[in-house]
Amino acid sequence: MDEFVTLIYDGKEIQLPMVTGSEGEKAIDISRLRAETGFITLDPGYANTGSCLSGITFMDGEKGILRYRGIPVEQLATKSSFKETAYLLINGRLPNRDELTRFSVMLNDNSLVHTDLKGFYQNFPRASHPMGILSSMVNALKSFYPELDTLEEEINITMTRLLAKVRTMAAMSYKISRGHEIVLPRPELTYCENFLNMMFDTPVTPYEIKREVVNALRVFWILHADHEQNCSTSSVRMVGSARVNLYAAISSGIAALWGPLHGGANQAVIEMLTKIQEEGGDCAKIVQRAKDRNDPFRLMGFGHRVYKTYDPRAKIMKKMCDELLESMQITDPLLDTARELEEIALKDPYFIDHHLYPNIDFYSGIVLRAIGIPTNMFTVMFALGRLPGWIAQWKESTDDPKWKISRPRQIYTGNQEYDYVPLHAR
Ligand code: ACO
């Protein structure tokens, strides 16, 4: 049965259709609002705006639920591989054995990068941030693969190419930044093992692949694989809506993710924890600062637009962080600071009233440090994990028969019309 909400204004009434999602989420369809009333809606930051119908990821911020294609993220983090999760997100269902094998073969076949790319990396200024480099290089990939990307088969290859090559490119970028020889991908290694080997293997010290490290990376990437219409994913969809190629759309997602309020928070958390330690370790003082309305400082790794309870990903990340450090017999003083900070913040009335809990970035940096990833590459690690989600969301939006270019409106608050005054008369 069709349901409607009634909008009453200026003595008139209009019926706006109600939309209900498969988990009971409700929305008002305002697509005819302007045509019928002349009004637009105003929703800064889109906090109340659904930009699309999507069947990829479900999250309930009040209950702390996250599911990819219906499967709880907790189950995937325990039982699935990153490759299988990527397949699930992109194709909408778990692969059977043959499909997974074919996908693995395709990833291996596409994992090498053109040697000319090396020259690009070498010419970035030394101070370049890895996220700026990654965003530029993913865009540059289109020049190496100028196919039209219109046929389904071409699109499938482009999607696989991105998953396979961006991983190689990230490791290659790190090696070049250190002045080391590039390590090529090895087909006998898993997706996660290959990345670690390309990052850390050297002719002098062969990389020893440790089960717990591979597992930590697997979980890290699965937890980051998608998160519905966040800032970077919305960028991918919005840029993609102009029917730009997939490389350019993903490049825009990487640029958005770089920001410290989004994926860049994982780097910002470690910088914050380090600073707390350097300044004597007073966590209570930093929590006090975060509450001060006259101070723009925020507790990094805390708070979320959607989660008003503990981020389910942060729960898994925290547990995994403890287990990893214990099994590797690592003592990281930043972990003690993080725990103390969390304890103080979670008891504080400001954080309780504002529903501010640790998000995924709060403990993820400590995991990445234990794996050996340099701090300025943390957000690149997030981007590698988020690739399947961005690809799935781009695919879903481009497959949508009701696809429209994204073009929000505004309420103009500038000057009303006035006449140009020539320079000599001003
Ligand atoms: N520290 C202190 N106060 C905070 C924090 C924080 N980390 N986060 C939100 N608040 C407060 C705000 O000051 C505001 O208070 P007020 O209502 O009294 O003015 C209230 O909580 C709501 O904050 P908004 O900024 O309106 O919330 P929004 O949903 O727009 O922002 C965001 C969400 C950007 C994540 C925010 O919580 C934040 O800046 N967190 C720190 C950065 C961070 O960790 N980002 C990673 C997010 S996860 C991800 O993208 C992968």
Side-chain angles (χ1 to χ4, degrees):
M1 191 183 66
D2 290 343
E3 291 179 284
F4 294 88
V5 294
T6 308
L7 176 71
I8 305 172
Y9 68 104
D10 284 350
K12 285 178 247 162
E13 272 190 17
I14 64 157
Q15 302 278 305
L16 297 168
M18 237 164 81
V19 181
T20 307
S22 47
E23 292 289 341
E25 291 174 303
K26 290 204 183 304
I28 303 167
D29 179 349
I30 55 142
S31 51
R32 300 276 318 143
L33 184 70
R34 188 168 179 278
E36 290 184 22
T37 67
F39 283 96
I40 62 163
T41 54
L42 188 60
D43 184 19
Y46 309 130
N48 304 287
T49 298
S51 60
C52 58
L53 297 175
S54 178
I56 301 171
T57 289
F58 172 70
M59 58 191 286
D60 182 325
E62 274 70 37
K63 295 191 184 132
I65 293 175
L66 176 64
R67 298 181 200 135
Y68 299 158
R69 300 287 187 182
I71 304 179
V73 74
E74 292 79 3
Q75 290 182 21
L76 292 165
T78 319
K79 298 175 187 164
S80 183
S81 68
F82 178 63
K83 201 169 8 188
E84 188 184 50
T85 300
Y87 187 102
L88 167 75
L89 282 166
I90 296 170
N91 298 287
R93 57 172 178 80
L94 288 169
N96 62 31
R97 200 174 290 278
D98 283 352
E99 287 165 335
L100 190 59
T101 307
R102 264 203 305 281
F103 189 44
S104 295
V105 171
M106 272 178 79
L107 286 170
N108 276 330
D109 286 352
N110 283 284
S111 60
L112 287 173
V113 296
H114 199 293
T115 47
D116 287 356
L117 273 170
K118 202 171 153 189
F120 282 73
Y121 281 109
Q122 280 162 337
N123 286 312
F124 275 100
R126 279 236 160 259
S128 306
H129 192 279
M131 282 298 275
I133 299 179
L134 189 70
S135 176
S136 315
M137 293 308 296
V138 168
N139 217 342
L141 266 186
K142 177 67 184 164
S143 313
F144 288 84
Y145 304 99
E147 293 91 345
L148 284 176
D149 285 340
T150 43
L151 301 174
E152 196 180 333
E153 195 191 335
E154 285 170 351
I155 292 172
N156 279 340
I157 292 175
T158 301
M159 292 190 299
T160 318
R161 191 181 279 146
L162 272 164
L163 285 172
K165 290 195 198 307
V166 175
R167 176 196 55 170
T168 308
M169 284 159 60
M172 181 171 150
S173 164
Y174 172 64
K175 284 291 193 192
I176 292 172
S177 74
R178 303 204 69 195
H180 289 179
E181 280 298 308
I182 289 163
V183 177
L184 296 177
R186 287 179 16 206
E188 76 279 15
L189 298 181
T190 67
Y191 191 90
C192 294
E193 288 170 350
N194 238 322
F195 175 75
L196 292 166
N197 192 61
M198 286 190 281
M199 283 285 290
F200 301 122
D201 189 58
T202 73
V204 182
T205 326
Y207 183 64
E208 188 195 337
I209 295 173
K210 292 198 178 113
R211 195 181 42 82
E212 61 270 33
V213 175
V214 176
N215 184 53
L217 180 58
R218 176 190 71 81
V219 176
F220 176 92
W221 274 344
I222 288 177
L223 294 180
H224 285 85
D226 194 47
H227 215 222
E228 52 119 301
Q229 309 312 317
N230 55 79
C231 178
S232 56
T233 302
S234 299
S235 307
V236 169
R237 279 191 180 252
M238 182 175 257
V239 171
S241 78
R243 293 190 192 259
V244 75
N245 65 80
L246 178 57
Y247 302 98
I250 300 285
S251 163
S252 76
I254 296 170
L257 189 73
W258 189 0
L261 295 190
H262 192 13
N266 58 12
Q267 177 174 342
V269 168
I270 294 297
E271 287 163 357
M272 176 185 75
L273 295 175
T274 309
K275 195 153 179 279
I276 295 173
Q277 284 210 330
E278 284 168 0
E279 291 175 357
D282 192 344
C283 292
K285 192 171 110 194
I286 215 78
V287 169
Q288 215 46 45
R289 225 190 120 188
K291 292 164 23 176
D292 183 353
R293 285 180 189 279
N294 300 316
D295 187 333
F297 173 77
R298 285 182 167 200
L299 211 53
M300 300 313 287
F302 258 75
H304 198 273
R305 169 62 62 78
V306 181
Y307 292 124
K308 298 303 163 207
T309 181
Y310 214 105
D311 179 339
R313 305 166 302 169
K315 254 188 217 164
I316 303 171
M317 191 69 81
K318 183 180 179 186
K319 185 164 170 280
M320 197 251 288
C321 181
D322 288 342
E323 288 166 2
L324 178 69
L325 266 61
E326 199 189 323
S327 67
M328 292 181 78
Q329 296 178 334
I330 295 175
T331 342
D332 188 339
L334 293 191
L335 180 58
D336 298 331
T337 308
R339 283 190 189 127
E340 194 187 333
L341 198 58
E342 179 188 344
E343 204 183 315
I344 296 174
L346 290 185
K347 282 188 196 142
D348 191 288
Y350 172 93
F351 282 79
I352 296 170
D353 292 348
H354 285 75
H355 305 288
L356 298 170
Y357 294 85
N359 58 50
I360 189 168
D361 293 318
F362 196 65
Y363 286 101
S364 69
I366 298 170
V367 169
L368 292 176
R369 266 160 73 91
I371 295 178
I373 308 289
T375 311
N376 70 349
M377 263 191 80
F378 284 4
T379 317
V380 167
M381 298 302 290
F382 189 152
L384 294 176
R386 185 52 59 83
L387 260 181
W390 286 332
I391 291 171
Q393 300 271 352
W394 176 88
K395 187 168 181 275
E396 184 179 69
S397 65
T398 54
D399 286 349
D400 184 351
K402 292 192 180 154
W403 183 10
K404 279 170 97 86
I405 188 164
S406 294
R407 203 316 186 177
R409 291 209 171 234
Q410 63 164 22
I411 296 294
Y412 175 69
T413 57
N415 292 325
Q416 289 191 326
E417 182 177 350
Y418 72 106
D419 287 333
Y420 173 78
V421 181
L423 190 55
H424 64 83
R426 270 178 247 160

